[in-house]
Amino acid sequence: MRNIAFFGLGNMGASMAINLLKAGHVVSVFDLVQSQVDKLVEQGAMGAASDKQAVENAQVVISMLPAGKHVKSLYESILNSCNENTLFIDCSTIDASEAKELNSIVTQAGHRFVDAPVSGGVAGAAAGTLTFIMGGEAQVVEEAQTILKGMGKHCFHAGGAGAGQIAKICNNMLLAVLMAGTSEALKMAMDNGLDPAVMSEIMKQSSGNNWTLQNYNPVPDVMPNVPSSNNYEGGFMVDLMNKDLGLAASAATQSNSLTPMASIAKSLYHLHGLKGNGKKDFSSIFESFCNTKR
Ligand code: NAD
């Protein structure tokens, strides 16, 4: 059992904090939106009136915030109020270079840092089945893992500081390419009179088989219980995929990596978002292949 200060009680963070409570930890919570704090207090968390108050007794700080600038400004605000040798775990998806910078700021102040972005989305956060992809020193990662297991199923140590963020965006970059490519192939089959359900089965048993066909078919009514069969509601928003593709492009520039497939996927998703689809699930990219005249 640990004393944990948890920051960011949004779509992901609220469920994650609830799972930490279920795992028996003492959790102090803070969010800029008071109603989010109130919901967690009803579940047994201690509501903090300020970020500094949240860390008063904390041994561990966990953040699940929108972007790097939010994490940096939070850390700058609380760092001097934290107990000695606090373990900082940032689960937000942020730029890998920002994660490295946070690692320096935190370690120079005598604390420890792990970047631990997640895969698994809102459903995984609620079910406690997230995958945590960590970057940091082995010993620190090992300790972080004992806490993160209360919120997830799998934990990976990708490498040193920032490696968790790199691994996460490489995965999401591939996912964007796979979803766009699968949509393109299925639509071409449909344009030629094929049934997308039959075509999906053919590809699942052939060399085009991939995760999107197995778990997340983008064509409406091919699979039950996926966003495409629910007006592309729920799931992983186009806006968030665009954020991750932006982070991937920035990392690729810094490492001088060639990412032509991701560049095309990024343009497709960017345009799709600009057309008002930002809040839809990312599999709605299929619709962007449906606007062609025959
Ligand atoms: P969200 O916008 O729903 O929640 C973010 C919360 O942070 C909000 O409640 C906001 O009020 C709070 N916040 C902002 N600044 C704060 C501060 N200084 N102190 C305290 N609270 C603050 O976002 P989300 O969907 O929960 O995503 C959080 C992170 O997880 C993002 O980095 C996102 O990229 C990543 N992520 C999201 C998903 C998903 O499916 N939603 C999946 C994987 C990863």
Side-chain angles (χ1 to χ4, degrees):
M1 190 273 285
R2 309 295 293 272
N3 285 336
I4 299 173
F6 197 105
F7 296 92
L9 306 167
N11 292 323
M12 298 290 289
S15 300
M16 291 165 69
I18 288 172
N19 285 328
L20 287 175
L21 287 166
K22 286 183 187 160
H25 298 290
V26 175
V27 187
S28 176
V29 294
F30 181 72
D31 193 289
L32 299 179
V33 180
Q34 183 58 39
S35 58
Q36 298 295 97
V37 176
D38 295 341
K39 279 186 214 158
L40 261 291
V41 170
E42 279 170 27
Q43 302 286 328
M46 291 189 300
S50 68
D51 51 13
K52 290 184 181 67
Q53 192 188 54
V55 298
E56 263 171 19
N57 297 311
Q59 300 158 299
V60 181
V61 166
I62 300 181
S63 43
M64 193 55 172
L65 304 181
K69 62 180 179 186
H70 304 99
V71 186
K72 199 172 167 200
S73 102
L74 170 72
Y75 281 19
E76 280 167 358
S77 170
I78 61 174
L79 213 53
N80 291 334
S81 308
C82 286
N83 294 298
E84 215 176 296
N85 202 28
T86 295
L87 172 59
F88 283 73
I89 307 174
D90 180 39
C91 297
S92 328
T93 304
I94 68 171
D95 198 295
S97 60
E98 288 174 313
K100 284 184 195 164
E101 192 188 339
L102 290 173
N103 178 61
S104 300
I105 294 170
V106 168
T107 51
Q108 274 165 26
H111 305 295
R112 295 161 300 147
F113 177 82
V114 168
D115 50 293
V118 307
S119 178
V122 177
T129 56
L130 291 171
T131 295
F132 290 91
I133 309 164
M134 293 180 280
E137 279 179 23
Q139 226 180 343
V140 187
V141 162
E142 211 170 292
E143 186 184 338
Q145 192 166 318
T146 61
I147 296 152
L148 298 177
K149 279 207 166 139
M151 303 181 283
K153 215 170 168 184
H154 302 290
C155 293
F156 293 102
H157 183 194
Q165 299 293 350
I166 292 285
K168 152 98 197 196
I169 51 160
C170 285
N171 177 70
N172 279 22
M173 183 175 93
L174 176 60
L175 177 62
V177 170
L178 285 174
M179 188 56 90
T182 300
S183 297
E184 185 175 296
L186 285 170
K187 184 59 174 64
M188 184 170 142
M190 291 161 75
D191 290 343
N192 285 280
L194 274 68
D195 179 338
V198 173
M199 186 64 214
S200 295
E201 282 311 308
I202 292 169
M203 290 199 289
K204 274 160 76 177
Q205 302 306 327
S206 308
S207 45
N209 187 17
N210 69 75
W211 184 90
T212 70
L213 284 168
Q214 289 171 342
N215 303 289
Y216 219 100
N217 199 295
V219 183
D221 301 323
V222 168
M223 279 178 95
N225 305 320
V226 291
S228 60
S229 298
N230 185 32
N231 296 317
Y232 295 106
E233 286 169 15
F236 184 59
M237 283 191 295
V238 168
D239 281 347
L240 285 174
M241 181 55 94
N242 272 319
K243 173 192 163 186
D244 289 0
L245 287 170
L247 291 173
S250 137
T253 303
Q254 285 175 44
S255 57
N256 206 20
S257 306
L258 288 177
T259 53
M261 311 301 287
S263 297
I264 295 172
K266 183 171 181 287
S267 298
L268 283 172
Y269 272 100
H270 187 187
L271 187 61
H272 191 52
L274 289 177
K275 285 182 175 170
N277 300 305
K279 304 294 172 224
K280 288 186 182 175
D281 177 70
F282 81 110
S283 62
S284 64
I285 198 71
F286 173 75
E287 292 182 320
S288 67
F289 294 94
C290 297
N291 297 329
T292 51
K293 287 203 175 112
R294 302 196 67 199

